[in-house]
């Protein structure tokens, strides 16, 4: 027996479309700022941030893919470009001969330190300066609920960053 689709209400449809438009515009805005200021897309900046916050500025490639929510193939391509820039290097993983670590170089850390203030200013201008403190709190709660609900708990999950 087939059940009828549960269509979105008018309010849900307006909210959904506003969400799609806002997230697309925000990602484009952040990408343009980072390309202009540092010659890198937003996703590469996120990788540098992840590495900068890791112990000894190094993470296993599989862990970096998981935290960045990108496929291993896309991560490999990104790290190759970051290596060419001298911002990241790969090292064999001492505990697993098949694994590799991505390591943020001193040059990559310097680029990140130089780029971060402009990026934070862009995020603040594009998002937080437009919201009241209460809206910021609500948005944070909403995004946390969505992220938790979309993150599968099982080890058998078919997620792109686990492939």
């Amino acid at each position: 027996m087939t059940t009828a689709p549960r269509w979105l209400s008018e309010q849900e449809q307006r909210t959904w479309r506003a969400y799609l438009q806002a997230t697309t515009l925000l990602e484009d805005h952040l990408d343009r700022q980072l390309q202009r200021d540092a010659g890198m897309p937003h996703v590469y900046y996120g990788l540098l941030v992840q590495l900068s916050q890791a112990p000894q500025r190094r993470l296993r490639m599989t862990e970096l893919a998981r935290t960045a929510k990108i496929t291993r193939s896309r991560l490999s391509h990104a790290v190759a470009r970051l290596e060419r820039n001298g911002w990241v290097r790969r090292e064999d993983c001492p505990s697993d001969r098949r694994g590799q670590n991505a390591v943020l170089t001193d040059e990559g850390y310097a680029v990140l330190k130089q780029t971060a203030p402009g990026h934070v200013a862009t995020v603040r201008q594009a998002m937080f300066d437009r919201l009241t403190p209460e809206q910021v709190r609500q948005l944070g709660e909403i995004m946390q609920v969505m992220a938790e609900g979309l993150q599968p708990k099982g080890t058998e999950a078919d997620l792109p960053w686990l492939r």
Side-chain angles (χ1 to χ4, degrees):
M1 180 172 200
T2 305
T3 60
R6 192 170 154 233
W7 299 110
L8 300 178
S9 69
E10 285 184 40
Q11 178 61 51
E12 290 168 334
Q13 188 68 254
R14 280 192 304 275
T15 301
W16 175 242
R17 288 181 180 167
Y19 168 82
L20 289 175
Q21 185 176 25
T23 55
T24 300
L25 290 168
L26 179 60
E27 188 64 30
D28 179 66
H29 187 67
L30 297 174
D31 257 342
R32 283 185 285 119
Q33 177 265 321
L34 286 165
Q35 286 288 358
R36 180 185 66 243
D37 294 354
M40 74 175 102
H42 190 223
V43 70
Y44 290 15
Y45 179 85
L47 296 173
L48 297 180
V49 169
Q50 290 287 326
L51 290 171
S52 76
Q53 296 172 344
Q56 300 166 351
R57 299 190 316 212
R58 76 177 19 86
L59 279 174
R60 282 189 58 129
M61 292 284 284
T62 52
E63 179 64 13
L64 187 55
R66 188 187 65 75
T67 59
K69 305 292 188 254
I70 61 176
T71 64
R72 292 179 194 175
S73 173
R74 184 172 181 201
L75 175 65
S76 184
H77 176 75
V79 168
R81 177 158 169 223
L82 293 169
E83 280 181 304
R84 284 192 300 276
N85 291 347
W87 301 345
V88 170
R89 73 175 181 274
R90 291 183 221 214
E91 294 178 348
D92 290 334
C93 181
S95 62
D96 179 1
R97 285 185 272 159
R98 295 175 299 157
Q100 282 194 316
N101 291 323
V103 181
L104 181 64
T105 64
D106 290 341
E107 185 179 348
Y109 187 71
V111 166
L112 186 60
K113 275 183 68 172
Q114 180 182 2
T115 305
H119 182 63
V120 170
T122 300
V123 169
R124 179 166 298 289
Q125 171 272 327
M127 187 171 178
F128 294 108
D129 289 350
R130 300 169 190 274
L131 303 174
T132 67
E134 178 61 16
Q135 288 172 322
V136 170
R137 185 193 63 73
Q138 290 173 342
L139 181 60
E141 289 177 4
I142 291 165
M143 293 295 103
Q144 187 65 40
V145 167
M146 288 178 63
E148 287 173 2
L150 292 169
Q151 181 64 47
K153 305 292 186 258
T155 58
E156 300 298 316
D158 184 26
L159 300 170
W161 49 89
L162 298 179
R163 290 186 206 136

